[in-house]
Amino acid sequence: MDIQQLDISKVISPELVNLELQATTKLEVIEALTDLLVGNGAVKDKEAFIADVLYREEEGKTGLGEGVAIPHGKSASVTNTSIAVGRTKTPVEWESLDDKPVNIIILFAVKNSDATTTHIKLLQKVAILLADEEVIEEFQTVQTKEDFIKLLAKNQE
């Protein structure tokens, strides 16, 4: 599958976006976003998935800087590779490349069978998007879930 053909809208929906997360810690953020994934049927075992995400967090920083983090879990408890997005009102402490807290968290839930190809392509696509400071600024101010998804799917035309 070519990265250009990977349609982000197939792995995220408005039910997987919370622009008013109340979480104040990294674990609370991961739990809240996992709840969205469980509620949407993308994850079948909340505890196992969270354990997989936390395991990955120990391997290296997922905070990209500019207030954005992209935690991810490859897990047997994922039924559909998906992305859940949260934005917190108060920045959350997170290990990040600029050593600053984050308030936009894009959680990747990747089923094991997609682990090599889809996972890398999704991360690559989002990383390219997040290299654009204007996009990050828009993530901070966008008002609706639908607009957030449109922004995430930007540059797909």
Side-chain angles (χ1 to χ4, degrees):
M1 179 181 356
D2 178 27
I3 187 166
Q4 262 36 64
Q5 295 167 337
L6 184 67
D7 185 353
I8 286 194
S9 67
K10 297 225 183 328
V11 293
I12 189 167
S13 63
E15 301 80 47
L16 294 173
V17 178
N18 182 343
L19 299 180
E20 296 180 13
L21 267 185
Q22 300 300 314
T24 57
T25 67
K26 180 181 189 174
L27 182 58
E28 286 176 4
V29 166
I30 291 170
E31 287 176 343
L33 293 177
T34 300
D35 285 340
L36 295 178
L37 292 161
V38 170
N40 198 49
V43 170
K44 61 185 176 202
D45 184 335
K46 176 181 176 176
E47 283 70 31
F49 178 70
I50 290 173
D52 290 333
V53 172
L54 295 176
Y55 175 79
R56 168 59 190 86
E57 284 294 310
E58 289 174 15
E59 292 181 356
K61 296 178 179 179
T62 57
L64 301 179
E66 303 293 324
V68 179
I70 54 167
H72 41 284
K74 289 183 268 189
S75 178
S77 49
V78 175
T79 53
N80 290 318
T81 293
S82 300
I83 300 173
V85 176
R87 185 171 69 196
T88 61
K89 292 198 182 306
T90 311
V92 175
E93 287 302 315
W94 206 284
E95 296 76 25
S96 63
L97 299 177
D98 62 2
D99 293 319
K100 293 185 176 150
V102 303
N103 76 315
I104 293 173
I105 303 91
I106 302 170
L107 175 61
F108 293 79
V110 181
K111 66 183 192 178
N112 284 337
S113 62
D114 289 341
T116 49
T117 54
T118 308
H119 173 238
I120 302 298
K121 289 188 171 100
L122 275 172
L123 283 174
Q124 187 180 10
K125 202 153 200 173
V126 171
I128 290 167
L129 195 60
L130 296 174
D132 183 339
E133 285 181 31
E134 284 179 21
V135 170
I136 291 175
E137 284 174 30
E138 287 182 63
F139 276 146
Q140 296 290 0
T141 57
V142 71
Q143 296 297 310
T144 70
K145 296 175 178 190
E146 291 76 14
D147 286 345
F148 201 102
I149 292 170
K150 274 188 207 145
L151 193 54
L152 203 55
K154 193 176 174 182
N155 303 334
Q156 294 208 138
E157 294 77 50

